[in-house]
Amino acid sequence: MSDWSARSLARRLGEEFAGLPAGTRVASEHELMRRFGVSRSLVRAALDELVTRFLLRRVQGAGTFLNNRIDYVISSRNPPSLHQTVAAAGSEARTFLVDVTQMPVPDVVATALECDPGTPLNRLLRVGYVDDLIANSIEEWLAPEVLEHVDVSLRAVESLNEVLRMGRYQPVRAWSRAAPDFPPEDVEERLELERAVPVWTIETVTRDARTGRALLYSRSWMRQDVIRLVFEFDNPDLAYPG
Amino acid sequence: MSDWSARSLARRLGEEFAGLPAGTRVASEHELMRRFGVSRSLVRAALDELVTRFLLRRVQGAGTFLNNRIDYVISSRNPPSLHQTVAAAGSEARTFLVDVTQMPVPDVVATALECDPGTPLNRLLRVGYVDDLIANSIEEWLAPEVLEHVDVSLRAVESLNEVLRMGRYQPVRAWSRAAPDFPPEDVEERLELERAVPVWTIETVTRDARTGRALLYSRSWMRQDVIRLVFEFDNPDLAYPG
DNA sequence: GAGCATTTGTCCGTATGTATT
DNA sequence: CAATACATACGGACAAATGCT
């Protein structure tokens, strides 16, 4: 094959790049033009496909690089922390508190926390990184009753679960939902996305184990080009013979 | 805003199309060029974004249409059938048996079925449709011991579970895994994909409830532009107060 | 079936802008 | 500041599929 289509070139380059380690810089668009004797638009179309396949990452002015994507397996039994998973893959995960403000709750959050829509509640905004790359944006809403017992503004920088436990609660994950999506405009900005990148939306409701009352609603958007979620289900009634 | 970028135009068109019912034909590229005073490439870039967002579907020679995407919620409690879900959404799901052949098992399948790699086993190939659109491609491998007890070739057109039950088995889903991916080349052809479309890969191992022996390994690729998978987890220890 | 207009698919060459090094 | 590399947009040309006459 010496006459290239965008798809065939994408496949060819995909195979060629498959062996290289993450972070490697690949040939520039002009080099590829010369190498394959095609126009720049065709080279870009091929590279575009590999970007949507999460294989490449492009940085204007710098070059095109092999993307580092981390598998995060959510099993029905022991859900490991994302932090741990990222560390095990040889990368570093960090989370920063961006903002804490009291805001009227949107309707979705209100129903999850069983309070009136528009009630002013504490909203925490966090941003997660994996090796200097923005990986996710987290929005956490504290239920009204938690306000009275916990001083969020100062201690919230660390784990929210810890803060809740200090407030004499027994926080447990009562419900959660995960689905692939494209983020709304404001989240797109927080994630610094300049193109349509698919994300995971992950919602959870945390309750107090004793009273059953809702304590926390959290909504997270996780870039799919950074993290690859995998769901695994085991039937506990059947042992897996070794 | 009167000078358009591809992204801003995509957003504008996205809002404009949001209200229209699925299947509606939208304005042609030339119409949009005239309406917004931009080049065809810019119009196409904007429409491309909406296609990757699963909002539009394009048919060469015919036009651009609003895509019909069906939510499929997999809850930890009662997993409903895809067939049911599609029907509830007002569409029709159908599955056709494409091929039954005896083939040497690939390694992945062999380990799942606990047999030697390369063992010749019955492989069933199915294709699923949602309203005349290919939705998924299913590959099913029957364990060696099932061969002796069940005549697949004739009856397999209907539910495989039924066939297994007729063979005096008690099939139960022992393990399953789901992850978003891009299909390998051969599956891409079966799904008739002409561009990089993300799919769900869904693997399951079915065992016999009594003996615990592996009966069936199934691997399915489901187009994300047709089905939107949602995972929902409930903590059974906590009742959700109404 | 044949022919034709419409519509999307693919590719090229060029120009200009912007971020990085 | 200059060179490099990716980002964005234009206009043109031809191909291929569809649908109608």
Side-chain angles (χ1 to χ4, degrees), chain B residues 4-6 38-42 59-62:
Chain B
W4 297 95
S5 73
V38 293
S39 72
R40 181 161 172 239
S41 13
L42 198 150
V59 182
Q60 183 174 164

XYZ file of all heavy atoms in Angstrom, chain B residues 4-6 38-42 59-62, chain D residues 8-19:
337
model
N -17.794 33.063 13.286
C -17.910 31.757 13.906
C -16.613 30.987 13.930
O -15.853 31.000 12.977
C -18.951 30.927 13.165
C -20.312 31.522 13.244
C -20.905 32.346 12.316
C -21.250 31.369 14.306
N -22.155 32.705 12.748
C -22.398 32.111 13.962
C -21.234 30.675 15.498
C -23.513 32.183 14.780
C -22.335 30.734 16.317
C -23.469 31.491 15.953
N -16.382 30.296 15.027
C -15.347 29.275 15.062
C -16.070 27.935 15.008
O -17.279 27.863 15.248
C -14.517 29.370 16.341
O -15.268 28.902 17.441
N -15.319 26.866 14.739
C -15.943 25.546 14.639
C -16.631 25.180 15.948
O -17.753 24.671 15.952
C -14.885 24.508 14.272
N -19.846 30.889 6.392
C -18.539 30.277 6.631
C -18.286 29.212 5.567
O -19.177 28.872 4.788
C -18.471 29.618 8.027
C -18.530 30.680 9.118
C -19.589 28.611 8.197
N -17.063 28.708 5.555
C -16.689 27.725 4.542
C -17.280 26.363 4.870
O -17.716 26.103 5.983
C -15.180 27.612 4.455
O -14.697 26.948 5.597
N -17.246 25.497 3.889
C -17.793 24.163 4.107
C -16.965 23.404 5.138
O -17.506 22.666 5.958
C -17.809 23.393 2.778
C -18.394 22.019 2.947
C -18.861 21.396 1.657
N -19.222 20.005 1.915
C -18.664 18.972 1.316
N -17.748 19.160 0.381
N -19.023 17.756 1.628
N -15.642 23.592 5.102
C -14.804 22.868 6.059
C -15.164 23.243 7.485
O -15.150 22.384 8.376
C -13.321 23.135 5.801
O -13.133 24.207 4.940
N -15.506 24.520 7.709
C -15.857 24.919 9.071
C -17.188 24.293 9.471
O -17.329 23.783 10.588
C -15.913 26.442 9.181
C -15.838 26.982 10.598
C -15.191 28.344 10.624
C -17.214 27.070 11.226
N -25.448 10.452 6.699
C -25.574 9.418 5.682
C -25.211 10.031 4.341
O -25.863 10.972 3.885
C -27.001 8.844 5.628
C -27.082 7.735 4.589
C -27.435 8.356 6.992
N -24.174 9.486 3.755
C -23.700 10.037 2.478
C -24.823 9.998 1.446
O -25.464 8.969 1.268
C -22.481 9.249 1.984
C -21.908 9.818 0.710
C -20.618 9.129 0.287
O -20.201 9.258 -0.842
N -19.994 8.395 1.192
N -25.015 11.118 0.803
C -26.030 11.191 -0.242
C -27.418 11.503 0.267
O -28.277 11.932 -0.495
N -27.652 11.255 1.540
C -29.003 11.447 2.068
C -29.114 12.694 2.945
O -30.043 13.475 2.792
C -29.438 10.222 2.865
P -8.079 24.509 16.987
O -8.936 25.080 18.036
O -8.208 23.113 16.551
O -8.212 25.438 15.722
C -8.066 26.843 15.866
C -8.327 27.506 14.551
O -7.239 27.242 13.637
C -9.608 27.040 13.851
O -10.414 28.175 13.636
C -9.115 26.413 12.549
C -7.787 27.117 12.348
N -6.782 26.403 11.513
C -6.186 27.078 10.486
O -6.446 28.231 10.212
N -5.268 26.353 9.766
C -4.897 25.040 9.990
O -4.056 24.492 9.278
C -5.557 24.385 11.090
C -5.229 22.956 11.397
C -6.461 25.083 11.795
P -11.957 27.985 13.193
O -12.754 28.995 13.920
O -12.290 26.559 13.286
O -11.920 28.400 11.669
C -11.367 29.667 11.312
C -11.065 29.685 9.833
O -9.901 28.876 9.572
C -12.162 29.107 8.948
O -12.822 30.181 8.284
C -11.418 28.197 7.964
C -9.955 28.496 8.232
N -9.069 27.344 8.037
C -9.048 26.183 8.768
N -8.146 25.317 8.361
C -7.540 25.950 7.292
C -6.507 25.559 6.427
N -5.887 24.377 6.510
N -6.138 26.425 5.466
C -6.768 27.604 5.378
N -7.758 28.086 6.137
C -8.093 27.201 7.084
P -13.971 29.897 7.230
O -14.838 31.089 7.283
O -14.517 28.547 7.441
O -13.180 29.931 5.855
C -12.302 31.025 5.593
C -11.709 30.876 4.209
O -10.652 29.881 4.274
C -12.706 30.393 3.162
O -12.851 31.357 2.147
C -12.131 29.084 2.635
C -10.702 29.082 3.127
N -10.229 27.732 3.526
C -9.211 27.110 2.811
O -8.707 27.704 1.849
N -8.792 25.868 3.170
C -9.362 25.264 4.213
N -8.922 24.053 4.545
C -10.405 25.890 4.970
C -10.813 27.104 4.593
P -14.059 31.281 1.134
O -14.362 32.647 0.693
O -15.088 30.416 1.726
O -13.430 30.479 -0.104
C -12.157 30.838 -0.592
C -11.739 29.845 -1.653
O -11.139 28.695 -1.014
C -12.893 29.318 -2.510
O -12.527 29.392 -3.880
C -13.094 27.891 -2.025
C -11.692 27.521 -1.572
N -11.656 26.472 -0.555
C -12.501 26.324 0.519
N -12.223 25.280 1.259
C -11.132 24.694 0.627
C -10.398 23.528 0.965
O -10.561 22.760 1.925
N -9.373 23.298 0.051
C -9.090 24.086 -1.037
N -8.068 23.694 -1.805
N -9.776 25.172 -1.368
C -10.773 25.419 -0.491
P -13.573 28.967 -5.024
O -13.546 30.057 -6.020
O -14.838 28.543 -4.392
O -12.893 27.678 -5.659
C -11.472 27.588 -5.728
C -11.052 26.154 -5.982
O -11.030 25.430 -4.719
C -11.991 25.377 -6.914
O -11.242 24.820 -7.979
C -12.608 24.303 -6.014
C -11.552 24.134 -4.933
N -12.080 23.642 -3.668
C -13.102 24.198 -2.926
N -13.370 23.537 -1.831
C -12.476 22.467 -1.859
C -12.295 21.407 -0.941
O -12.905 21.191 0.112
N -11.279 20.544 -1.345
C -10.535 20.692 -2.484
N -9.611 19.778 -2.717
N -10.694 21.678 -3.354
C -11.677 22.521 -2.978
P -12.000 24.297 -9.293
O -11.227 24.799 -10.460
O -13.443 24.595 -9.153
O -11.821 22.729 -9.216
C -10.527 22.187 -8.951
C -10.678 20.746 -8.531
O -11.115 20.696 -7.150
C -11.733 19.982 -9.335
O -11.088 19.011 -10.143
C -12.622 19.324 -8.270
C -11.855 19.515 -6.969
N -12.708 19.715 -5.800
C -13.630 20.707 -5.606
N -14.262 20.624 -4.451
C -13.722 19.496 -3.863
C -13.971 18.865 -2.634
N -14.857 19.303 -1.736
N -13.259 17.750 -2.348
C -12.360 17.306 -3.243
N -12.041 17.822 -4.436
C -12.765 18.923 -4.679
P -11.955 18.236 -11.277
O -11.029 17.991 -12.382
O -13.230 18.941 -11.480
O -12.258 16.846 -10.560
C -11.201 16.170 -9.884
C -11.783 15.146 -8.942
O -12.412 15.810 -7.821
C -12.856 14.225 -9.554
O -12.448 12.889 -9.376
C -14.118 14.565 -8.761
C -13.521 15.030 -7.438
N -14.422 15.850 -6.603
C -14.639 15.479 -5.264
O -14.049 14.486 -4.826
N -15.479 16.224 -4.502
C -16.083 17.289 -5.025
N -16.907 17.988 -4.227
C -15.881 17.683 -6.371
C -15.049 16.944 -7.127
P -13.306 11.714 -10.046
O -12.349 10.866 -10.776
O -14.499 12.265 -10.719
O -13.800 10.909 -8.753
C -12.894 10.735 -7.659
C -13.623 10.087 -6.494
O -14.360 11.101 -5.748
C -14.644 9.028 -6.891
O -14.556 7.928 -5.998
C -15.980 9.744 -6.754
C -15.703 10.708 -5.606
N -16.498 11.928 -5.609
C -16.582 12.859 -6.603
N -17.379 13.863 -6.324
C -17.853 13.571 -5.050
C -18.735 14.240 -4.186
N -19.325 15.398 -4.500
N -18.999 13.673 -2.991
C -18.403 12.510 -2.687
N -17.554 11.786 -3.422
C -17.315 12.386 -4.598
P -15.298 6.584 -6.345
O -14.409 5.503 -5.903
O -15.825 6.643 -7.732
O -16.544 6.645 -5.353
C -16.324 6.857 -3.963
C -17.654 6.922 -3.254
O -18.230 8.236 -3.458
C -18.694 5.920 -3.759
O -19.394 5.407 -2.643
C -19.603 6.756 -4.645
C -19.559 8.098 -3.910
N -19.863 9.262 -4.739
C -19.472 9.520 -6.010
N -19.898 10.665 -6.483
C -20.624 11.205 -5.437
C -21.344 12.411 -5.297
N -21.449 13.320 -6.256
N -21.951 12.639 -4.117
C -21.850 11.709 -3.149
N -21.206 10.545 -3.167
C -20.613 10.350 -4.348
P -20.202 4.072 -2.799
O -19.534 3.107 -1.909
O -20.423 3.763 -4.234
O -21.606 4.443 -2.162
C -21.642 5.048 -0.865
C -22.913 5.855 -0.730
O -22.848 7.006 -1.600
C -24.184 5.104 -1.103
O -25.041 5.083 0.030
C -24.778 5.888 -2.275
C -24.117 7.262 -2.129
N -23.922 7.983 -3.389
C -23.193 7.578 -4.477
N -23.182 8.448 -5.468
C -23.948 9.493 -4.988
C -24.318 10.725 -5.572
N -23.938 11.116 -6.797
N -25.088 11.551 -4.830
C -25.459 11.160 -3.602
N -25.184 10.020 -2.959
C -24.413 9.234 -3.714
P -26.430 4.337 -0.054
O -26.650 3.826 1.300
O -26.422 3.435 -1.225
O -27.477 5.483 -0.331
C -27.389 6.701 0.397
C -28.385 7.697 -0.143
O -27.860 8.285 -1.356
C -29.747 7.113 -0.496
O -30.714 7.740 0.310
C -29.922 7.403 -1.993
C -28.934 8.537 -2.216
N -28.350 8.630 -3.594
C -28.503 9.788 -4.318
O -29.104 10.750 -3.897
N -27.925 9.772 -5.564
C -27.211 8.734 -6.144
O -26.735 8.828 -7.263
C -27.089 7.550 -5.342
C -26.339 6.363 -5.871
C -27.648 7.547 -4.118
P -32.198 7.194 0.305
O -32.730 7.434 1.666
O -32.202 5.846 -0.280
O -32.954 8.175 -0.700
C -32.692 9.573 -0.640
C -33.413 10.275 -1.774
O -32.575 10.231 -2.965
C -34.746 9.634 -2.174
O -35.661 10.651 -2.508
C -34.373 8.803 -3.402
C -33.313 9.692 -4.028
N -32.375 9.001 -4.907
C -31.865 7.727 -4.753
N -31.029 7.392 -5.702
C -30.988 8.507 -6.526
C -30.264 8.728 -7.723
O -29.482 7.973 -8.292
N -30.511 9.999 -8.244
C -31.354 10.925 -7.685
N -31.477 12.082 -8.315
N -32.041 10.728 -6.566
C -31.813 9.504 -6.050
